[in-house]
Amino acid sequence: MSQIATLEVNGKKYEFPILEGTENELAIDIKTLRGVTEGVTTIDAGFKNTGSCKSAITFLDGEKGILRYRGYAIEELADKADFLETSYLLIFGELPTEAELQKFHDDILEESLVDEEMKKILDGFPKSAHPMGVLSALTSALIAFNPESVNADSKEEMYSAIVKIMAKFPVLAAWTLRKKTGLPLDYGDKHLGYVQNLYKMMFNKPNDEFKINPIVLNALDKLLILHADHEQNCSTSTVRIVGSSHAGLFASISAGISALWGPLHGGANQAVIEMLEDIKNDGGDYHKYLAKAKDKSDPFRLMGFGHRVYKNFDPRAKIIQVAAEEVLADLGIVDPVLDIARGLSEEALKDEYFKSRNLYPNVDFYSGIIYRALGIPVEMFTVMFAIGRLPGWIAQWKEMRENHEPIGRPRQLYVGKTLRGFVPIEKR
Ligand code: SDX
């Protein structure tokens, strides 16, 4: 028997069902609220207390620091799965058999070439363009060369659009780096794995044979898994709401890339490294920056710290911190910003300001240190986040369409001018 929530408005009581999820979370279903109360709605800036959908993809518990994709713990997936396998799990709901994974990879390889005409769009950007802006534009431009990808009404159409974007997105992402480095575009190699191919298209020199350090490959694969989905975050909610108008998958993902770009969201991994570099160049005194982060009159925020949902350690940050230490040691890299990050984190975690607000390192705090050790330029960090988040965006968009979710259209509380008469300009 489901529980009931009672709301009293203007002396009248209204009852609403309380829904219970498979992890015993409770949600008040207010879909009848405006009707039964003749116009009363709710308001919740930033949707801090408001669920937008029921989802079976990712579960996270911010208090306990739990993150699971389709019921599998992130710690297990990061340790035992690879990124393409995890992508399949997120999108189709089950870990693939070897045959299913091979077919998925073969279907992706079949679609991994991008129309040569697309290069003209890339050529139109200045070298100084931020890769996230280029990637969002190129992803949207893909629609023009794959017009049938807008359709997702049948299982076949949906699968075809999914395979196309899984195949072409890494190519476009690699192109955004090649634009900056001035290297010719690389077509990849259909005999390589998904992440190996990405690395080849990003870094392989035309006059050199392709090779990748297994440590680098493993670290990159793990980072992509850790970024693959995170329930209804800002960019995923963007992908869902754009897709709810039945805009195509590519257009929805292009919008998600723009949302992810913001420094409060995926852009934080670039902002963290820039912050750590600033601290290093300013003598390495991170106490001064902790004071700035606590000073309400100072707009400075400790980038890579805090999270809307995690009020404990972000489980991804824990895994990435260990991986950062291992990768730098294995590659024999001494990066002074790692010491600064460690010291900053240790100090913040002891500080009342951060403790009282449950501010802990998030996924972005250490990821940039690994990306840098892997030779990835700082402006590409958020592109790496996008590559990782792609299967999550796809899975969430697919679920939204398969559940026939209504078009997203929030209400508001109007606080503007009440009715007034027009005044001719000569009388103003
Ligand atoms: C990601 O949602 C997701 O799942 C996102 C993500 C994913 O995988 O998709 O996990 C990826 O986006 C991680 C977050 C990356 N962003 C950053 O690292 C930027 C720095 N962090 C923040 O700006 C902030 O913590 C947010 C945006 C992450 C969360 O902000 P909230 O939940 O809106 O919280 P808030 O801004 O209302 O802050 C609450 C209090 C405030 O102080 P008071 O007004 O109560 O005195 O905490 C303070 C804030 O000033 N605060 C910080 C802080 N973060 C919050 N103070 C200093 N430094 C910070 N980083």
Side-chain angles (χ1 to χ4, degrees):
M1 170 68 176
S2 72
Q3 300 176 60
I4 295 289
T6 304
L7 183 66
E8 184 169 343
V9 179
N10 297 331
K12 213 174 162 196
K13 288 189 178 178
Y14 304 91
E15 294 190 340
F16 302 95
I18 296 178
L19 309 178
E20 183 166 358
T22 49
E23 290 287 348
N24 309 313
E25 297 167 303
L26 299 179
I28 302 170
D29 183 347
I30 59 166
K31 65 172 171 289
T32 61
L33 172 68
R34 194 170 186 280
V36 298
T37 59
E38 289 163 11
V40 176
T41 60
T42 62
I43 196 156
D44 183 19
F47 310 112
K48 294 190 174 184
N49 307 280
T50 301
S52 60
C53 62
K54 297 175 192 171
S55 180
I57 299 168
T58 290
F59 171 70
L60 54 95
D61 181 320
E63 282 65 36
K64 297 179 186 146
I66 291 172
L67 172 57
R68 298 186 197 131
Y69 297 160
R70 300 284 188 182
Y72 294 94
I74 191 64
E75 294 80 3
E76 271 213 287
L77 291 169
D79 188 33
K80 298 172 184 168
D82 72 26
F83 177 60
L84 192 62
E85 188 179 17
T86 303
S87 300
Y88 186 102
L89 169 67
L90 283 167
I91 296 168
F92 302 108
E94 298 295 338
L95 285 170
T97 62
E98 275 188 71
E100 287 167 334
L101 187 58
Q102 189 58 56
K103 180 182 184 313
F104 189 46
H105 194 204
D106 291 345
D107 292 345
I108 287 170
L109 288 169
E110 276 309 303
E111 291 290 349
S112 55
L113 292 177
V114 171
D115 193 298
E116 288 287 302
E117 293 282 288
M118 287 275 294
K119 293 181 180 176
K120 292 178 184 164
I121 301 168
L122 183 68
D123 291 344
F125 284 95
K127 233 176 179 174
S128 59
H130 194 287
M132 285 295 275
V134 178
L135 183 59
S136 180
L138 289 176
T139 302
S140 194
L142 267 181
I143 305 164
F145 296 90
N146 302 272
E148 73 294 339
S149 66
V150 175
N151 308 319
D153 297 323
S154 71
K155 276 174 77 78
E156 294 72 24
E157 287 171 334
M158 174 81 78
Y159 183 77
S160 170
I162 289 169
V163 161
K164 280 188 170 74
I165 194 70
M166 281 294 293
K168 301 177 194 300
F169 195 78
V171 178
L172 302 181
W175 280 13
T176 66
L177 177 58
R178 305 294 272 206
K179 174 82 191 179
K180 285 202 154 314
T181 55
L183 287 176
L185 301 181
D186 183 291
Y187 286 92
D189 177 341
K190 63 190 301 180
H191 304 297
L192 294 177
Y194 189 82
V195 177
Q196 276 178 310
N197 226 355
L198 166 70
Y199 195 83
K200 177 181 183 294
M201 292 186 288
M202 287 176 71
F203 294 108
N204 201 44
K205 293 188 175 52
N207 60 351
D208 195 358
E209 54 155 317
F210 173 68
K211 49 188 178 302
I212 181 169
N213 180 329
I215 294 165
V216 170
L217 177 61
N218 182 52
L220 189 50
D221 198 280
K222 184 177 285 200
L223 279 170
L224 295 174
I225 289 172
L226 292 169
H227 286 82
D229 193 52
H230 215 240
E231 55 131 285
Q232 306 312 315
N233 59 84
C234 178
S235 55
T236 299
S237 299
T238 302
V239 169
R240 273 189 172 247
I241 202 163
V242 170
S244 72
S245 73
H246 286 200
L249 178 57
F250 298 6
S252 304
I253 285 172
S254 174
I257 296 166
S258 297
L260 187 70
W261 191 359
L264 294 187
H265 190 15
N269 57 15
Q270 174 177 345
V272 167
I273 284 292
E274 289 167 348
M275 172 187 75
L276 294 173
E277 281 291 330
D278 288 348
I279 296 172
K280 184 186 78 171
N281 298 334
D282 189 17
D285 175 16
Y286 47 75
H287 296 87
K288 174 177 156 187
Y289 286 82
L290 280 176
K292 281 168 64 70
K294 300 190 303 188
D295 178 356
K296 288 301 171 196
S297 63
D298 189 327
F300 175 80
R301 280 203 158 187
L302 194 57
M303 301 314 277
F305 252 74
H307 197 278
R308 171 60 57 76
V309 177
Y310 289 122
K311 299 311 171 192
N312 197 320
F313 242 90
D314 180 334
R316 302 167 297 176
K318 273 186 178 172
I319 298 169
I320 294 174
Q321 182 181 1
V322 171
E325 309 273 2
E326 287 169 354
V327 167
L328 268 66
D330 291 344
L331 296 177
I333 294 171
V334 178
D335 186 344
V337 300
L338 179 57
D339 295 329
I340 293 173
R342 229 189 268 117
L344 194 59
S345 173
E346 282 160 13
E347 280 304 306
L349 293 175
K350 292 186 295 194
D351 186 293
E352 196 44 43
Y353 173 93
F354 292 91
K355 282 180 8 183
S356 63
R357 292 168 177 80
N358 298 310
L359 302 178
Y360 292 86
N362 58 48
V363 66
D364 295 309
F365 191 66
Y366 291 102
S367 54
I369 292 167
I370 300 183
Y371 287 140
R372 191 153 81 161
L374 302 185
I376 295 168
V378 65
E379 272 204 329
M380 284 293 290
F381 287 5
T382 312
V383 169
M384 300 312 294
F385 194 143
I387 297 166
R389 187 51 52 89
L390 178 67
W393 285 335
I394 293 169
Q396 299 273 351
W397 188 91
K398 178 172 179 282
E399 181 179 71
M400 175 274 302
R401 284 298 298 270
E402 289 175 343
N403 290 351
H404 304 292
E405 299 276 347
I407 186 168
R409 200 266 183 234
R411 305 308 299 250
Q412 64 165 23
L413 180 68
Y414 178 70
V415 293
K417 297 283 188 192
T418 53
L419 179 65
R420 52 184 173 162
F422 184 80
V423 178
I425 192 162
E426 62 274 9
K427 293 189 174 162
R428 288 176 208 158

